[in-house]
Amino acid sequence: VRYFWSGVELMSMMQMLLATYGGGGLSIDDVYSSTVYTGNESTNTINNGLDLSGEGGLVILKKLLGASNFFVYDTERGTNDALRTNVNNAETTFSNSLTSFNSNGFTLGSSNITNDSVTPDYISFAFRKTEEFFDVVSYTGNGATSRNLSHSLGTLPGMMWIKKVSNAEDWIVYHRDNGANNFLKLNDNSGSTTAGSDIFAITHPTSSVFTVGNNTKVNANGDEYIAYLFADDTDSMIKCGTYNGNGGTQTINCGFQPQWVTIKSTSSVNADWVVFSSTRGTKYLSWDSINNEQPHAGFAFASNGFTLSNSVGTTNSSGKAYVYMAIAS
C-alpha cells in the first residue's frame, strides 16, 4: 500500500518533529521563554511554563524603558543574588528582587529594580537546565594552569559565559567560532581579545568538560565563579555560528526560524552586543549597556534564520566578522 501526503500534511509532520527537542519529549517552550511582564512593586509571579525549581536554570531581567541594568539570577546561587551583564561587579544581594524559582516560572518581590510600577515594562529571558540545551556550573577557583570542569550538556557547548561571583571581574565569553585562544567580554563592546593559555588553556570544551587556565577572570584560587553553557545545533533548536558583514542585504541561515538572537562583532571595537526577541519585533537590547530598548534599522527574523539589510556596525558592517547564538521558535 502506498500513501500520498499533501504538502500541508507534510509540513504539519515536519513541524511536529521539529517541535520535539532532544528526544525526551520536550519542546522549546519547556526549556526557554521570553516573557514581557508589568511591574507592580508587590508580589509578582511570572508563569512562563519552565520548571526552574525542579530542574534549575537561569533568569535574566531587564527594564525596557529607561536606563537600567540586566539582572541575572540562577538556581545555583539562589534568589535575590544578582549579577549584571553590563558591569564587572561582583554578585550583589538585592532584597525582594527575585524571591523564588518555581515549577512554572519565578516570583518577584517588591524591589523596584525588577518590579517597578512607575516604568513597569520588563522582559525576562529564562533558560532551563536541560541536556543538549543549557547548563549552569558553579565552582571555586584553584589557580591551576589547566583545569577541567564537568558539565551536563552531553554535547559540545557553542557559547559559554563565565563570571567571577566573589569579586569584580569581566564577564568572559567563549564562542566556538572565535577559537579557544580568544575571548569576548559580555560587559564590554570591544572586539575579540587574544586569550593566551591562561583563559581556556587553549582548549575547546568537550561534551562533558570545559577547561580554564589560571587567569583571575576564570580560576583565581579561592574565588567563586559561575558558568553558563549553551549548546550548539542540537536537533536544530539552538545554533551558534559566525558570518561576515557585507554592508548590504543578506540572510544568515540558522536552519530554523528563530525567536531569539544575540550577535557580537569579533573584529569591531565600540560595537555593542545586541539581543533580539521576537516578542519585541526588531527592537533590541545590549548586554553591555544600560540603554533602554532601541529600534534596529536592518534586522528581521526570517523563516530560516535572520535577515540583515543595512550597514549597521553592531550587525552588518562590511568586512567585519560576527558571532551569534540563535534559539528556535
Side-chain angles (χ1 to χ4, degrees), residues 162-199:
I162 301 175
K163 179 71 178 76
K164 182 185 286 190
V165 173
S166 49
N167 288 292
E169 196 63 85
D170 290 323
W171 288 79
I172 300 302
V173 178
Y174 163 91
H175 190 285
R176 64 162 205 170
D177 292 316
N178 195 37
N181 60 338
N182 298 297
F183 67 92
L184 294 159
K185 300 176 185 177
L186 196 64
N187 57 290
D188 194 284
N189 64 6
S190 59
S192 179
T193 300
T194 300
S197 61
D198 61 340
I199 298 292

Side-chain angles (χ1 to χ4, degrees), residues 32-47:
Y32 171 75
S33 173
S34 291
T35 304
V36 175
Y37 68 92
T38 301
N40 62 13
E41 292 189 46
S42 182
T43 300
N44 198 352
T45 298
I46 310 302
N47 294 324

Side-chain angles (χ1 to χ4, degrees), residues 9 13 23 38 65 76 100 148 153 190 196 201 227 241 277-278 283 309:
E9 289 171 324
M13 290 175 63
T38 301
L65 299 175
E76 289 292 312
S100 71
N148 289 336
L153 280 182
S190 59
S277 173
S278 60
K283 295 178 181 179
S309 57

Side-chain angles (χ1 to χ4, degrees), residues 143-148 197 200-201 203 211-214 219:
T145 57
S146 181
R147 179 186 182 188
N148 289 336
S197 61
F200 305 120
T203 304
T211 305
V212 293
N214 61 356
N219 193 29

